[in-house]
Amino acid sequence: MHSRWWANVAVGADALRIHPLRTLLSVLGILIGSAALVATMTVSDGLMAFVRDRVQRELSVQVVTLSPRLSRFEDGEWVPQHDYPVFTAADTEALLQHASGALSATLVLGGRAEVSHRGVRRHAGVTFGTASLPEFGQMELGAGHFFSAAEAEHNLPVVVINYALARELMPAGDPYAMVGREIRLERRTRRVVGVLAATGFENRDDPSLAAFAPLRSARAILVPQPGRRLAPTIRLLARSLESVDSVEEDVRDWLSRRYADWPRRVTVSVGREQLQQVEQAFLLMKVFVGALVGISLLVGGIGIMNVLLAAVTERTREIGIRKSVGARRADIMAQFLAESVAIALAGAVAGFLLGLLLATGVTALFRGWVGAPVYPVLSWSSVLIATLSSSAVGLVFGTYPARRAANLSPVAAIAHE
């Protein structure tokens, strides 16, 4: 049985070889559709990897954050809110004890400050926290060290800056050479003890400038608005991704015990949820664009069907002869289905290579024009989808011509001119 099937496949392959131009034209539609599908999926996966890395650098997916609500939406506009809680170190310790699935906790306060060094002045985002801050986000050091627990406890005048800020403060030298130098935060002298490694996301036209300092130094640098208080946030690091939900549940329980009507006064956010929202948005975009690209595959399938219908008409006499010498209806169907799938797979292979080339070119444009380090990401799912979709197109659109050929009467087929 297997030898008969392979013989039918060989007959179909010979027919494709004998008519190279017709085969090439039928392959072209599948090639274009497959190339567009592969390029779309690899570029989308590359963009998703880029965004995922950026989100994880800013906030770990295992972090649960409690932020005081400083304003509320009322009568169509945002109005200031004054009854928000001001979390303390004691609150942080109590919450860490209450949340059994939490590994560590930190109290964080953010703001903006003027940073100056040798006549260069820039405004940067400043994050004040404990020495455990690197545990709550990807902070890879390029030089120096992050401030220690002892430096934070004794409120020593130290600061860690990111690569973009170091480059702005030392435009003509090595940014990592800022380690050991003194800078001023809002006219307060601070010694740089560390410079974060370059992330690849630095944009000279719109730089993201950041500095990190011990929490106890915040009151000397940040000035609250009149009638407002500095409101730190609490961050809890879950032991694992699986324990994030239990930590979030413990946080909500702790808040309900401490504050009346807490949902109006505190926001609880999970880094994993933010990442999931981004991934969901990219998945929707990927499915939508993939559906549009699928139209190209349908057009290619129609081309295959037209070519095979023409082949059935041209080879009617051949089909009749094969049937007269013992070929069954299933043999004729297998022959034409083999031709259809061979055309589709040939287009898929060529389209796969062309799609990778297109994806490489598109991501190179992203890196050159936008400055974003985006690279094509080829996954097994992309390869599988491209192969299966092309094979399915070959089978679906080859079925009708194959059935038409298989149903021909041997006598009428032989008599056909």
Side-chain angles (χ1 to χ4, degrees):
M1 182 175 179
H2 291 291
S3 60
R4 182 187 290 270
W5 188 86
W6 280 111
N8 294 327
V9 172
V11 171
D14 287 338
L16 296 178
R17 180 177 52 81
I18 294 171
H19 302 89
L21 181 59
R22 186 172 66 189
T23 302
L24 177 62
L25 291 176
S26 58
V27 165
L28 191 59
I30 296 294
L31 185 151
I32 294 173
S34 181
L37 183 63
V38 171
T40 299
M41 297 185 70
T42 52
V43 171
S44 298
D45 289 341
L47 287 171
M48 187 63 247
F50 164 76
V51 174
R52 183 187 294 112
D53 185 59
R54 187 151 195 172
V55 170
Q56 290 179 344
R57 285 181 183 276
E58 295 177 356
L59 185 64
S60 172
V61 294
Q62 293 176 216
V63 171
V64 179
T65 303
L66 293 74
S67 306
R69 285 184 179 269
L70 305 183
S71 59
R72 66 180 184 275
F73 193 69
E74 189 175 281
D75 296 329
E77 61 180 10
W78 289 97
V79 296
Q81 186 165 273
H82 299 283
D83 61 343
Y84 54 84
V86 177
F87 295 126
T88 64
D91 293 329
T92 305
E93 186 61 30
L95 184 54
L96 181 61
Q97 295 296 325
H98 187 80
S100 57
L103 183 63
S104 62
T106 185
L107 197 62
V108 178
L109 185 61
R112 293 192 65 81
E114 183 185 78
V115 184
S116 59
H117 173 67
R118 293 186 177 181
V120 179
R121 299 177 183 273
R122 297 290 185 271
H123 282 85
V126 184
T127 300
F128 299 90
T130 64
S132 61
L133 267 179
E135 300 176 17
F136 293 81
Q138 294 183 3
M139 295 184 183
E140 182 182 350
L141 281 165
H145 67 276
F146 205 84
F147 57 82
S148 64
E151 290 172 326
E153 177 65 25
H154 294 90
N155 195 19
L156 296 184
V158 294
V159 66
V160 177
I161 60 179
N162 69 347
Y163 183 85
L165 179 56
R167 186 175 60 185
E168 291 292 317
L169 296 178
M170 185 172 284
D174 180 10
Y176 294 127
M178 284 296 301
V179 174
R181 296 176 181 265
E182 290 186 344
I183 63 175
R184 295 181 68 83
L185 292 180
E186 294 292 345
R187 298 180 296 278
R188 302 278 183 170
T189 302
R190 294 290 184 268
R191 181 171 58 87
V192 178
V193 295
V195 176
L196 299 186
T199 63
F201 301 123
E202 288 81 10
N203 185 347
R204 284 189 177 274
D205 297 327
D206 185 21
S208 178
L209 311 180
F212 306 87
L215 180 63
R216 295 183 61 183
S217 64
R219 295 187 180 278
I221 296 174
L222 297 182
V223 179
Q225 297 177 1
R228 310 286 285 182
R229 297 166 295 169
L230 295 177
T233 64
I234 298 177
R235 293 182 184 175
L236 288 174
L237 180 65
R239 296 182 183 276
S240 64
L241 280 174
E242 291 74 21
S243 61
V244 170
D245 292 336
S246 66
V247 171
E248 183 182 6
E249 185 178 344
D250 289 341
V251 164
R252 294 179 182 275
D253 179 68
W254 183 81
L255 287 171
S256 64
R257 295 168 182 263
R258 303 262 310 204
Y259 304 102
D261 193 20
W262 72 263
R264 187 181 61 83
R265 304 168 65 189
V266 182
T267 299
V268 178
S269 59
V270 182
R272 184 187 60 186
E273 293 177 352
Q274 298 178 19
L275 182 59
Q276 288 175 342
Q277 291 173 359
V278 173
E279 289 180 337
Q280 184 180 31
F282 268 86
L283 179 61
L284 290 174
M285 180 193 72
K286 189 174 179 179
V287 171
F288 175 71
V289 176
L292 293 180
V293 171
I295 296 174
S296 300
L297 285 176
L298 293 179
V299 173
I302 294 172
I304 290 177
M305 184 170 63
N306 288 334
V307 168
L308 290 182
L309 284 174
V312 171
T313 302
E314 292 177 2
R315 295 155 59 189
T316 301
R317 187 177 180 85
E318 171 197 329
I319 295 169
I321 294 174
R322 286 201 69 197
K323 280 195 165 186
S324 66
V325 296
R328 298 172 304 173
R329 182 175 180 272
D331 296 329
I332 303 300
M333 283 199 68
Q335 173 189 338
F336 280 89
L337 284 177
E339 292 183 30
S340 178
V341 173
I343 291 172
L345 289 180
V349 172
F352 180 78
L353 298 176
L354 179 60
L356 288 181
L357 185 62
L358 289 174
T360 302
V362 169
T363 52
L365 289 178
F366 284 159
R367 295 193 299 272
W369 288 354
V370 184
V374 180
Y375 296 88
V377 174
L378 179 63
S379 61
W380 283 109
S381 61
S382 299
V383 177
L384 188 61
I385 289 174
T387 304
L388 291 181
S389 59
S390 300
S391 301
V393 166
L395 285 173
V396 170
F397 286 92
T399 299
Y400 175 68
R403 287 173 59 88
R404 183 172 177 178
N407 290 332
L408 287 175
S409 168
V411 176
I414 294 174
H416 180 79
E417 294 294 336

